[in-house]
Amino acid sequence: MKDYIEERTLEISKYIVEHKATVREAAKVFGVSKSTVHKDVTERLPEINFELYKEVREVLSKNKAERHIRGGKATKMKYQKLNNKIS
């Protein structure tokens, strides 16, 4: 694995743990795709730093479990904005 990929993987992983970030948020911050972030933290990270991988996996599992709540809030806000524009 190339050094810059390994370095990026570690940086993204540390960011996710420190900020409890989602894959999408991390992708925006680092200017890469969601697919790249996902591949880095699920496939590459266990080979580089298994302890960090376990921490990242915990954060991502929590995010996945809460995803339906965030989606509901986003939908609610969307329709509130639409209703405010109409009124």
Side-chain angles (χ1 to χ4, degrees):
M1 183 180 328
K2 296 189 178 185
D3 289 341
Y4 75 93
I5 295 174
E6 192 171 313
E7 187 177 319
R8 179 189 68 213
T9 299
L10 289 171
E11 287 179 19
I12 290 171
S13 301
K14 289 175 185 173
Y15 179 83
I16 289 173
V17 171
E18 289 173 10
H19 295 92
K20 307 287 187 236
T22 63
V23 169
R24 193 176 291 240
E25 291 167 345
K28 277 185 187 177
V29 169
F30 289 91
V32 295
S33 70
K34 295 180 299 182
S35 300
T36 299
V37 172
H38 190 266
K39 184 172 182 102
D40 282 352
V41 299
T42 59
E43 294 179 22
R44 296 181 176 128
L45 185 60
E47 298 171 9
I48 300 168
N49 184 336
F50 194 75
E51 291 302 314
L52 182 58
Y53 166 72
K54 289 193 288 190
E55 292 178 45
V56 170
R57 189 177 59 192
E58 195 174 302
V59 172
L60 295 182
S61 293
K62 183 175 184 260
N63 287 342
K64 186 175 180 181
E66 295 173 349
R67 147 174 91 184
H68 68 285
I69 296 169
R70 286 191 305 275
K73 286 181 181 179
T75 302
K76 180 179 177 181
M77 288 175 54
K78 173 185 171 181
Y79 285 105
Q80 283 177 338
K81 284 182 182 179
L82 284 175
N83 287 336
N84 288 338
K85 287 181 181 179
I86 294 171
S87 300

